[in-house]
Amino acid sequence: MGLTTKQKVWWAVITVVVLVYALFPVAAIAATSFKIPSELDNGRFLPGTWSLINYEQILVGDAQSLFLSSLRNSIGISLIATAIAAVLATLAAYAIARLDFPGKRLILTTALAVSIFPVISIVTPLFNLWRTIGLYDTWPGLIIPYLSLTLPISIWILTAFFRQIPWELEQAAQVDGATTWQAFRKAIVPLAAPGVFTTALIAFFIAWNDFVYGISLTSTEAARPVPAALAFFTGASQFEEPTGSISAAAVVVTIPVVVLVLLFQRQIVAGLTQGAVKG
């Protein structure tokens, strides 16, 4: 049964309201990034004079070293954390979905508890531990905490996905002489590729957007990611606000996320829906 004209109108109105609510802050930041310093506090949404001065400042100007180094850190740390989370979550989720062993529910419950545990509550002890063992202000010092953010959600998504893959495929591969590892690698992993890919993207977004760990566990440009580096932006002088430069940097670091979502939105939806529907 199709929707009536009235229902279509209501759904269209709801869609527009949600889009405006979600995209208005992004549009405001983008508009601010093109304003000159004298227009930042004039109360107008669009800039009176469109300028690239803020982008020049973060890419070739005074904020270049701070922004580009943090951008490099964010890319490297997020990619490494995502790769490790995807591999570990794939193995853990397969074991939980396929193998019968005591403590399966406890592992999933623990993963859920870790994912909802407030990050700020463990930053101080982690800060002291990292200073003691030499991981403070290093890439590994951020990659390891990022796994606590990315692994739980990755395990949950992939466990649901593996449960939808027919058990008979793996049994058939083993009947043909494949070992458990070969059956997993050659029969299961290719079928699970959409779910693994979706999970990796979600894990990347989580690591890319982290601020608490980035600001608390770094002190120099050696490992500081972009979200934390934005807090250290300054204006061209002590009397100038860095709002324009921060907005320009926010736009630049948002572009990779938007591009990834636009390019792989079908894979993301397919991966999530296949893992959520009981086969």
Side-chain angles (χ1 to χ4, degrees), residues 77-91:
I77 293 172
S78 298
L79 287 177
I80 295 174
T82 299
I84 296 175
V87 173
L88 295 180
T90 299
L91 298 175

Side-chain angles (χ1 to χ4, degrees), residues 65-66 69-70 73 77 123 126-127 130-131 134-139 141-142 146 211-233:
S65 60
L66 177 61
S69 63
S70 63
N73 293 334
I77 293 172
V123 165
L126 198 59
F127 170 85
W130 267 204
R131 290 290 293 263
L135 288 179
Y136 180 74
D137 201 26
T138 64
W139 279 29
L142 284 180
Y146 282 178
F211 174 78
V212 177
Y213 283 136
I215 196 71
S216 304
L217 302 180
T218 61
S219 59
T220 68
E221 299 174 7
R224 183 182 291 133
V226 170
L230 296 182
F232 294 90
F233 274 31

Side-chain angles (χ1 to χ4, degrees), residues 12-178:
V13 171
I14 293 173
T15 301
V16 171
V17 171
V18 171
L19 287 175
V20 171
Y21 177 80
L23 296 180
F24 179 80
V26 179
I29 293 174
T32 302
S33 69
F34 291 101
K35 291 183 178 181
I36 59 178
S38 60
E39 294 183 347
L40 292 176
D41 297 323
N42 61 5
R44 297 176 57 183
F45 182 80
L46 294 176
T49 303
W50 293 79
S51 173
L52 295 175
I53 185 173
N54 296 313
Y55 292 92
E56 293 175 355
Q57 185 170 351
I58 65 172
L59 296 177
V60 297
D62 297 336
Q64 176 188 9
S65 60
L66 177 61
F67 177 71
L68 294 184
S69 63
S70 63
L71 183 61
R72 180 182 66 250
N73 293 334
S74 282
I75 294 174
I77 293 172
S78 298
L79 287 177
I80 295 174
T82 299
I84 296 175
V87 173
L88 295 180
T90 299
L91 298 175
Y94 173 80
I96 294 172
R98 293 301 203 206
L99 305 181
D100 187 15
F101 60 92
K104 289 172 57 173
R105 291 185 178 274
L106 179 60
I107 293 176
L108 285 176
T109 303
T110 303
L112 179 61
V114 170
S115 65
I116 64 177
F117 198 79
V119 174
I120 193 64
S121 63
I122 63 174
V123 165
T124 299
L126 198 59
F127 170 85
N128 295 329
L129 177 62
W130 267 204
R131 290 290 293 263
T132 302
I133 65 178
L135 288 179
Y136 180 74
D137 201 26
T138 64
W139 279 29
L142 284 180
I143 292 173
I144 295 173
Y146 282 178
L147 292 178
S148 69
L149 301 176
T150 56
L151 262 180
I153 186 65
S154 300
I155 292 175
W156 267 89
I157 294 175
L158 286 178
T159 297
F161 194 89
F162 276 121
R163 284 172 175 166
Q164 313 312 314
I165 298 177
W167 180 252
E168 291 77 12
L169 294 175
E170 190 173 359
Q171 291 177 323
Q174 292 177 346
V175 169
D176 291 336

